[in-house]
Amino acid sequence: MKIDTMLAGLEDAPVHAGRLEQLGVDGAFTFEGPHDIFTPLILAAGATSTLELATNVAIAFPRNPVQLAHQAYDLQLLSRGRFTLGLGSQIRAQVEKRYGASFDRPIARMREMVGALRAIFATWETGAPLDVRGEFWSHTLMPPLFNPGPNPYGPPSIALGGLGPQMLRLAAEVADGVLVMPFNTAAHFASRTVPAITEGLARGDRARGDLTVTGEVIVCCGRTEAEMEVAQRATRWLLAFYASTPAYRPVLEVEGWGDLQPELNALSKSGRWEEMPHLIDDAMLATLAAVGSPSEVAADIVGRFGGQVDRVGFYTPYLIGEETLGELVHELATVGDRPLDH
């Protein structure tokens, strides 16, 4: 089981990536936040030699396939074959109100996006004419001036982020990997996520080994009381933010906490953000996140995914100390060395 974590910062991304590599982390990812999602990876690519790099996730619909293909191709080249293009749909409000883009029919739109990317990569690899004529995108022109030619490391892998069954099924059917949303619980993962992935593989007539499954989890980890206090405060805030979103209510419903979502949503709409974390009690914290010392968190992560993932990606919504991170990586490598159920 490989271990991934966040790549922090912008200007310090090369230094941070190098430290993660030294600590034994297998991969680092960026997400759509206050900075461009691709730029830190460009900086990290030249500062590392083994660290795998990924977007987790680049919001797909505001971008177009040719634009994404060029960005992914270049990062695959700069990283010498260590890049994965992770794509996600986000939610309607974010796509329409923040990006000013269209969100309608997200499953069909994402399917077409993946197919268009495959076609563009094939044109660059083989020189075959580009002929994408879809409902959402049309790409029929690729003059030699704009064709980078075959990538010496092969086309980059494509992974899709998902939480709901439809997107998970699509990812298992057409993508190289699936990035399971970190706002999750062991019960939701076992009862909703795994069956959806299995159904998607069957639809695509694929074997489990054809798909890289990354189980993501929010980590609340510390070695001292002071570290745990910082981690718990930040984790409660993040969980409250996620739990206020209607799209994430199914996770809460599996645990019997469905009524929490509209309550948090109402607080967010009235700007009462400081009150929201207080609604995440200790039981919710321990169920929605992996909480405790490095050894306790490692055991929690392995237990919640039950041998059903190839990689684990953890989010720390606070600045985790390097010694704590190194110990967590060591513990995960130790307890996570189990055969996968393929």
Side-chain angles (χ1 to χ4, degrees), residues 101-283:
S102 297
F103 186 79
D104 57 297
R105 302 184 60 210
I107 303 301
R109 190 179 290 268
M110 188 67 82
R111 179 185 292 275
E112 188 172 304
M113 170 70 81
V114 174
L117 284 166
R118 302 270 196 224
I120 295 164
F121 290 148
T123 291
W124 293 349
E125 292 292 318
T126 69
L130 180 61
D131 189 19
V132 175
R133 302 171 191 268
E135 180 180 356
F136 305 102
W137 292 282
S138 178
H139 302 288
T140 58
L141 180 66
M142 186 58 64
L145 179 63
F146 304 105
N147 185 338
N151 195 307
Y153 305 100
S157 296
I158 301 171
L160 299 183
L163 176 66
Q166 292 188 74
M167 191 63 75
L168 290 170
R169 283 195 290 265
L170 177 66
E173 181 186 353
V174 305
D176 301 303
V178 56
L179 304 165
V180 180
M181 171 70 189
F183 187 80
N184 217 318
T185 68
H188 184 272
F189 179 80
S191 65
R192 305 284 180 87
T193 303
V194 173
I197 291 173
T198 301
E199 292 169 15
L201 289 171
R203 286 185 181 184
D205 193 24
R206 307 173 77 192
R208 173 62 179 83
D210 297 330
L211 183 74
T212 298
V213 177
T214 300
E216 300 179 87
V217 60
I218 297 167
V219 165
C220 180
C221 184
R223 296 176 304 144
T224 66
E225 288 187 11
E227 283 188 349
M228 282 304 303
E229 183 179 351
V230 171
Q232 288 181 3
R233 185 165 54 248
T235 303
R236 287 184 199 275
W237 191 95
L238 181 63
L239 291 175
F241 172 76
Y242 276 136
S244 71
T245 305
Y248 301 149
R249 182 168 179 167
V251 176
L252 299 172
E253 289 176 337
V254 166
E255 303 293 341
W257 302 327
D259 292 341
L260 177 66
Q261 185 276 316
E263 186 176 359
L264 285 168
N265 187 258
L267 290 174
S268 70
K269 288 183 175 179
S270 61
R272 296 160 63 185
W273 297 96
E274 69 284 352
E275 299 177 35
M276 293 169 60
H278 299 293
L279 297 184
I280 305 298
D281 62 30
D282 289 346

